[in-house]
Amino acid sequence: MIIAFDFDGTLVDSYSCIEEAFLRALEKRYRWLPGKKLWAKLLTKIELQFERPSLGGHKKTHKPPFFLRTKFFETWFIERAKLTKPIDDSLELLKKLKEEGHTVISFSAEDFIEGMKVKRLKMVGLYDLFDDVIVFGREMTLDEAFRLVREKYGNETFIWVDDKPWRFIGRGDENTEFVWYYFPFTARFVEKNREKLALIPHLHVIRDLWSLFDVIENVKKRKHPEG
């Protein structure tokens, strides 16, 4: 099977450290600035607006506005990566999946800074564990990224794990299994619109990443009931 993982909020907790990362970036880039803690809180509130769900998002490629592509935000992303923590021993999870013969890929959106997602994957020690890294949003849309997976790996069962299930809506094919990893920070957006989940076929919900192995077994039994 092809197992595809989102990054932020799925394999790592990079949300609870956002404010601290802003504070560190301000201290490095704007040491003279008074009230840095207040600025960090304000910047955090602004950043969280970008995390809100966008139904059918990533239909087009996009280039973030110039003020998000500055050295300050580059520093912030690096500090955020330093503070990021793996979820549910995710590094060992990826190793186990590969040991069992699955193709494991990173499947996530680009950051404001070009190339930053790959850089953060390397900083937290995940990059080399993937068989492939596909980043959508800047050079290709999410739909194009999915088609790329099919071109590379054929029609094999594709298990897509993401804490943002709104990305699933209207995507995939008959051999796609959608796994919503319930990460509290982003799950609050879904709780306000749970009826949208009915639009997602073959949806599985897990609250710890190791439950993915149960999903894999259930999919095998459904697709090959004769054993």
Side-chain angles (χ1 to χ4, degrees):
M1 294 183 180
I2 308 160
I3 319 291
F5 290 92
D6 177 47
F7 180 59
D8 298 294
T10 302
L11 291 174
V12 298
D13 176 7
S14 56
Y15 290 108
S16 60
C17 61
I18 287 176
E19 186 174 327
E20 177 62 24
F22 271 127
L23 182 58
R24 290 187 180 192
L26 287 166
E27 288 173 343
K28 288 192 172 183
R29 289 283 169 184
Y30 301 105
R31 191 167 296 177
W32 51 266
L33 184 70
K36 285 187 279 291
K37 288 186 177 180
L38 290 175
W39 277 107
K41 288 183 182 297
L42 175 61
L43 288 167
T44 298
K45 288 182 179 180
I46 295 171
E47 160 61 19
L48 297 185
Q49 293 302 309
F50 289 96
E51 302 298 336
R52 301 181 70 83
S54 175
L55 181 62
H58 300 290
K59 285 187 175 180
K60 299 179 181 179
T61 56
H62 67 282
K63 190 174 184 179
F66 75 93
F67 63 86
L68 295 178
R69 293 181 278 118
T70 61
K71 286 294 183 181
F72 171 75
F73 275 95
E74 182 177 351
T75 301
W76 171 67
F77 271 121
I78 291 171
E79 293 303 320
R80 186 180 177 187
K82 291 176 183 178
L83 293 164
T84 291
K85 303 295 183 184
I87 293 173
D88 296 340
D89 204 5
S90 55
L91 281 76
E92 292 303 316
L93 175 85
L94 297 182
K95 292 176 184 177
K96 179 69 173 175
L97 287 168
K98 293 184 70 172
E99 286 172 7
E100 294 195 356
H102 299 291
T103 299
V104 180
I105 68 176
S106 173
F107 195 70
S108 61
E110 182 59 286
D111 296 323
F112 305 146
I113 309 294
E114 187 173 3
M116 184 56 71
K117 180 57 62 72
V118 166
K119 186 169 187 174
R120 290 201 293 139
L121 282 167
K122 291 179 177 178
M123 286 183 69
V124 300
L126 287 172
Y127 184 84
D128 291 333
L129 297 177
F130 290 111
D131 296 298
D132 200 354
V133 174
I134 296 175
V135 181
F136 53 84
R138 185 181 293 266
E139 300 297 333
M140 63 177 148
T141 67
L142 178 49
D143 293 327
E144 289 170 341
F146 179 79
R147 288 198 293 272
L148 179 61
V149 170
R150 285 299 182 216
E151 289 170 8
K152 285 186 171 186
Y153 303 104
N155 209 32
E156 189 176 347
T157 299
F158 179 73
I159 297 183
W160 179 356
V161 188
D162 203 316
D163 67 304
K164 305 168 189 69
W166 51 87
R167 288 176 174 166
F168 299 154
I169 298 173
R171 295 196 167 94
D173 55 28
E174 68 278 2
N175 286 324
T176 302
E177 303 286 330
F178 300 99
V179 180
W180 172 26
Y181 172 66
Y182 191 101
F183 185 64
F185 182 89
T186 46
R188 61 198 172 121
F189 298 125
V190 184
E191 293 296 348
K192 297 175 183 177
N193 295 283
R194 285 192 73 91
E195 68 279 2
K196 297 291 187 184
L197 298 179
L199 300 173
I200 306 170
H202 301 161
L203 177 65
H204 312 263
V205 183
I206 61 175
R207 289 177 180 263
D208 71 89
L209 289 177
W210 289 87
S211 294
L212 181 59
F213 288 97
D214 296 328
V215 172
I216 292 170
E217 288 305 310
N218 290 336
V219 170
K220 286 179 180 177
K221 289 177 182 177
R222 193 184 78 237
K223 287 181 174 288
H224 306 286
E226 69 283 357

